Amino acid sequence: MKKRTSITRQLMLRIIPLVVALMVIVVGATMLLTNVAVRKMAEAELKKDANGNEKVLTRFISDALSNLEPVKDTLETVDFADDDARLAYMETTVRLNESIPNGVYMGDDRGHYLDSSLWEPGADYVVTERDWYHEGMGHEDFALGVPYQDADTGEMIVSISSKANIKGWGNTVLVGDMFLNQISEFISDLTVMDSGYSFVFDPENDIIVAHKDSQYNGMTLSAAAEQESIISHLQKQITEEGNLDKVLTASTDKGTYMVVAESVENTSWYLVSCVSEDIVLNKLYDLLSKISLIAIVLTAVLMFIIAFSIRQKTKPIKELTGVIEGITSGNFTVDVTPVGNDEITTMSEKLKVFIDSMRGTICQLRDISTHLGGQSANSAEVSKVLSEAAAVQSDSMGQMKTTVDDLANSIQSIAENATSLAEAVSVVYENGTEAEERVTETVAAAERGKSDIEKVAANMSDGTLREVQTAL
């Protein structure tokens, strides 16, 4: 016989793989969507941090610019007695702003030059030949120029310059030098998604303005690219049209980075924010690991619930199976208790009705069998009586046969005697002399015949005698 498996096992073998496959699909889709969502969130967070850092840097620069505006207004509006008085005022700007530690200085096309740091140029120093002068003459308000290396300190500096209308002076430019190491310190304090970093570069002049590693300050992009692989990859990407404020991916020898460039207000600079993609993916992997763990736990719980539910639902079926097996073996003492309100309940109810009906039928059959048993006993008793009567009748018939045989013998004897008598009479007629003797013999024969007849009569009942008489 083919081995059978339970409905519970069959359902488990069918449902659980489907549940597992469904959970795998759901988890896979969730991971895929989560990957996309996390990347978008990471890009949004990166752009948010970059934008926030750009605002902070803009405010940092704006503070420096705003500190120079009152100085310019004062120098333009106050009627100083002479340049010494102007210089005395300019000396008050030293340490006015941490990023401009040496204060301000100014010069014009007539060769005038004043420096709050009290530095005096040599005879060969020509104001109009200085880069800061040309930069300042290009704008009415303070603006940042091109970073350069200070000859005295060797540090990278960017000049903040503006045209100024100084009484008694010619075409004047007022300047404050911002040391880039100050910006570098500021940049190094900026955070990008907790683990990234930022740097500032000027695409117009192809110069790194500020970097967390100050060795790159003032270095051209081309030169920096030879040392910093991420700069090499971004050298063209971040300057291409349409890539501004757009999250880019740069693969370097140090890994893959997510990068976004933000233009810095009031400057031609870009603030570039970078974060290792591995950092973002690690967060993603952590999230996916948690999702996977949750999915595994949920799958296990779901399978347990399904298994429990299947067992609960198939339990009545098992009970019905046991009842049916009992019925097929002739056991109608089993009972069914319908529970619930479903198809199985209907089956249980119908089977209960069937069992009750069969019990009634069996009771009727038992009663009929008992009655038939009584009838059979009576029939056996009657049969016994009939058998005994038949035996008695058989004996009687045997006795009657014997009697009839005896009667026949007697009759034959009588016939023979009668024949003898006839012969005797005949002889008497023929032999008169012997008549007396023959008569005597005849009388004797008659006596014997009478005796035989009386014997026969004694052995036969009246009815038998009548039968014999009738037969005769």
Side-chain angles (χ1 to χ4, degrees):
M1 180 182 291
K2 184 177 180 181
K3 186 177 181 181
R4 297 180 180 179
T5 57
S6 65
I7 295 177
T8 301
R9 181 179 178 83
Q10 292 181 25
L11 291 175
M12 294 284 285
L13 291 176
R14 291 185 180 183
I15 294 176
I16 289 180
L18 292 177
V19 172
V20 173
L22 181 61
M23 290 300 295
V24 169
I25 293 173
V26 170
V27 171
T30 301
M31 287 183 174
L32 180 61
L33 294 176
T34 302
N35 189 356
V36 175
V38 168
R39 285 181 176 275
K40 287 184 177 180
M41 290 172 60
E43 291 179 3
E45 185 176 356
L46 177 58
K47 290 182 69 174
K48 179 181 177 182
D49 286 355
N51 186 261
N53 291 340
E54 184 273 326
K55 298 299 182 185
V56 174
L57 179 58
T58 297
R59 186 167 59 250
F60 178 82
I61 295 173
S62 296
D63 288 344
L65 296 176
S66 63
N67 287 333
L68 293 176
E69 288 294 342
V71 176
K72 177 183 175 181
D73 291 341
T74 300
L75 290 173
E76 288 181 336
T77 58
V78 174
D79 188 11
F80 291 99
D82 51 28
D83 288 342
D84 291 337
R86 290 190 180 91
L87 182 58
Y89 167 72
M90 291 171 63
E91 288 178 3
T92 63
T93 64
V94 177
R95 302 297 178 184
L96 179 66
N97 187 289
E98 288 187 6
S99 60
I100 310 175
N102 294 329
V104 298
Y105 57 92
M106 63 181 182
D108 64 3
D109 55 355
R110 300 177 183 176
H112 294 146
Y113 181 83
L114 291 178
D115 194 329
S116 59
S117 67
L118 302 181
W119 177 77
E120 294 183 0
D124 57 347
Y125 189 85
V126 179
V127 172
T128 55
E129 293 179 357
R130 311 307 298 179
D131 291 335
W132 55 263
Y133 183 83
H134 293 288
E135 292 170 354
M137 290 299 295
H139 32 77
E140 298 293 333
D141 297 319
F142 282 104
L144 280 68
V146 179
Y148 66 95
Q149 187 175 27
D150 183 65
D152 295 332
T153 62
E155 295 185 10
M156 296 301 299
I157 296 174
V158 60
S159 296
I160 304 175
S161 58
S162 173
K163 289 174 65 175
N165 186 14
I166 306 299
K167 186 178 181 181
W169 285 49
N171 295 321
T172 306
V173 173
L174 181 63
V175 186
D177 288 337
M178 177 184 289
F179 283 75
L180 296 184
N181 60 346
Q182 294 291 326
I183 297 180
S184 296
E185 292 177 5
F186 170 78
I187 290 296
S188 63
D189 292 335
L190 297 178
T191 57
V192 179
M193 298 180 68
D194 299 330
S195 59
Y197 68 95
S198 300
F199 66 91
V200 180
F201 81 101
D202 183 355
E204 290 186 3
N205 300 289
D206 192 36
I207 293 177
I208 301 294
V209 177
H211 198 282
K212 66 175 183 178
D213 189 348
S214 59
Q215 67 169 329
Y216 294 110
N217 293 347
M219 190 179 293
T220 64
L221 281 173
S222 301
E226 295 178 359
Q227 301 181 46
E228 181 65 55
S229 55
I230 190 170
I231 296 176
S232 173
H233 283 79
L234 298 178
Q235 186 176 3
K236 293 182 179 180
Q237 283 184 295
I238 58 180
T239 58
E240 290 180 356
E241 186 177 358
N243 284 343
L244 189 63
D245 298 330
K246 182 178 179 181
V247 177
L248 306 175
T249 301
S251 298
T252 71
D253 54 349
K254 297 180 181 179
T256 302
Y257 287 82
M258 297 174 64
V259 184
V260 62
E262 298 275 349
S263 60
V264 180
E265 190 176 348
N266 299 323
T267 69
S268 60
W269 300 349
Y270 285 171
L271 174 65
V272 179
S273 299
C274 312
V275 63
S276 174
E277 193 176 56
D278 291 339
I279 302 298
V280 177
L281 293 180
N282 285 338
K283 294 181 179 180
L284 174 62
Y285 294 149
D286 290 341
L287 179 60
L288 294 180
S289 298
K290 293 178 181 178
I291 292 175
S292 300
L293 180 61
I294 293 172
I296 292 172
V297 173
L298 289 178
T299 302
V301 172
L302 184 60
M303 287 192 294
F304 174 78
I305 293 174
I306 291 174
F308 179 77
S309 300
I310 290 175
R311 289 182 181 277
Q312 290 297 108
K313 281 296 181 182
T314 56
K315 185 177 180 181
I317 298 177
K318 291 182 178 180
E319 294 177 355
L320 287 177
T321 303
V323 170
I324 293 172
E325 288 177 350
I327 291 173
T328 55
S329 63
N331 180 16
F332 284 91
T333 61
V334 294
D335 198 6
V336 179
T337 303
V339 178
N341 188 24
D342 52 20
E343 292 82 356
I344 298 176
T345 306
T346 303
M347 293 172 60
S348 299
E349 292 173 348
K350 298 302 181 183
L351 186 59
K352 182 175 179 64
V353 172
F354 172 75
I355 292 173
D356 293 340
S357 177
M358 289 301 297
R359 284 176 180 171
T361 302
I362 291 172
C363 289
Q364 292 178 359
L365 291 174
R366 185 172 61 248
D367 293 340
I368 293 173
S369 176
T370 301
H371 179 70
L372 290 176
Q375 293 286 348
S376 176
N378 293 333
S379 298
E381 186 67 26
V382 171
S383 177
K384 182 178 180 182
V385 171
L386 292 175
S387 177
E388 291 176 352
V392 170
Q393 188 176 6
S394 178
D395 292 340
S396 298
M397 291 300 292
Q399 292 177 2
M400 185 177 68
K401 181 177 181 298
T402 302
T403 302
V404 171
D405 290 340
D406 291 341
L407 180 59
N409 292 330
S410 298
I411 291 172
Q412 185 177 3
S413 297
I414 291 173
E416 291 177 354
N417 290 329
T419 302
S420 298
L421 179 59
E423 291 178 353
V425 171
S426 178
V427 171
V428 170
Y429 281 107
E430 294 178 354
N431 300 302
T433 57
E434 295 178 353
E436 185 176 357
E437 293 179 2
R438 298 298 183 186
V439 171
T440 301
E441 292 176 354
T442 303
V443 171
E447 288 294 332
R448 288 196 299 273
K450 180 181 178 182
S451 178
D452 292 334
I453 291 171
E454 287 178 352
K455 185 189 296 184
V456 170
N459 292 328
M460 294 179 63
S461 61
D462 293 338
T464 306
L465 181 61
R466 284 195 297 271
E467 292 177 0
V468 171
Q469 289 174 351
T470 303
L472 293 175

